[in-house]
Amino acid sequence: MTSLEFTDQVQKISYSLKPVAMNLTRDADDAKDLVQETLLKAMLNKDKFKAGTNLKAWLYTIMRNTFINNYNKITKRNSNIDSTEYFQYFNTDENYITHNGASSDFVVTDINAAIAGLSADYRTPFMMYYIGYKYLEIAEKLQIPIGTVKNRIHIARKELKQALKTYAPGV
């Protein structure tokens, strides 16, 4: 599909995006902004669209994800917790605080031992994810399907949770 064909199809479908955006935002101006942002993202990522697939569904997915991301940004920004009343109980004098380095050393040792106890098939993707790699990056580096990466990380977490259950709160 050429860029001109893609742009033409997106333009035809763009009229059907407005009612969906209106349903999501419940505000005419926000709906226009959402449609505009959706179309911008679609144009910037047209190389990721696979010809022969449903373009309308692809655009709706972009719109939904954009709406959710914007909503999450707004709610995180507006969720301020007033903790001033708790500061009267907060003691800032470092002389009254004790740190038990021995117990934290035991915890770190146990965590390292639990991670070392994982098989390499689970430990490698888990540690890559832990240090900041995305699922897709891990899949590419290890040359395994992304579903396998997610499954191995899930199993590693389960095994670590089981191995470290003595540190679980309330147990």
Side-chain angles (χ1 to χ4, degrees), residues 100-115 160 163-168:
N100 188 347
S103 65
S104 63
D105 288 344
F106 283 127
V107 173
V108 171
T109 302
D110 287 349
I111 291 172
N112 287 334
I115 291 171
L160 289 173
L164 300 168
K165 69 181 176 185
T166 57
Y167 297 106

Side-chain angles (χ1 to χ4, degrees), residues 19-36:
V20 176
M22 190 66 185
N23 190 26
L24 289 170
T25 62
R26 310 269 189 230
D27 181 69
D29 291 332
D30 289 341
K32 288 178 186 175
D33 290 342
L34 182 58
V35 169
Q36 186 176 15

Side-chain angles (χ1 to χ4, degrees), residues 33-144:
D33 290 342
L34 182 58
V35 169
Q36 186 176 15
E37 193 171 351
T38 301
L39 294 175
L40 176 65
K41 286 182 179 182
M43 291 305 193
L44 291 174
N45 294 298
K46 64 184 167 196
D47 58 314
K48 294 179 182 173
F49 176 72
K50 295 178 182 150
T53 59
N54 189 345
L55 179 61
K56 193 173 189 179
W58 188 68
L59 291 171
Y60 284 158
T61 302
I62 292 172
M63 180 184 291
R64 186 194 69 227
N65 291 342
T66 301
F67 173 76
I68 291 170
N69 290 341
N70 290 341
Y71 178 80
N72 287 338
K73 284 179 192 172
I74 290 168
T75 55
K76 284 181 183 175
R77 199 178 318 141
N78 293 336
S79 63
N80 296 330
I81 299 172
D82 184 21
S83 58
T84 54
E85 66 184 57
Y86 299 108
F87 285 134
Q88 63 185 338
Y89 303 111
F90 185 69
N91 191 347
T92 58
D93 190 354
E94 287 294 321
N95 295 328
Y96 292 104
I97 300 172
T98 61
H99 299 281
N100 188 347
S103 65
S104 63
D105 288 344
F106 283 127
V107 173
V108 171
T109 302
D110 287 349
I111 291 172
N112 287 334
I115 291 171
L118 294 172
S119 76
D121 287 343
Y122 299 124
R123 183 177 52 249
T124 303
F126 174 79
M127 291 307 296
M128 289 176 76
Y129 182 77
Y130 176 75
I131 62 174
Y133 283 94
K134 304 288 184 224
Y135 289 128
L136 190 58
E137 294 172 325
I138 297 169
E140 289 172 357
K141 289 217 185 257
L142 299 179
Q143 297 179 341
I144 56 177

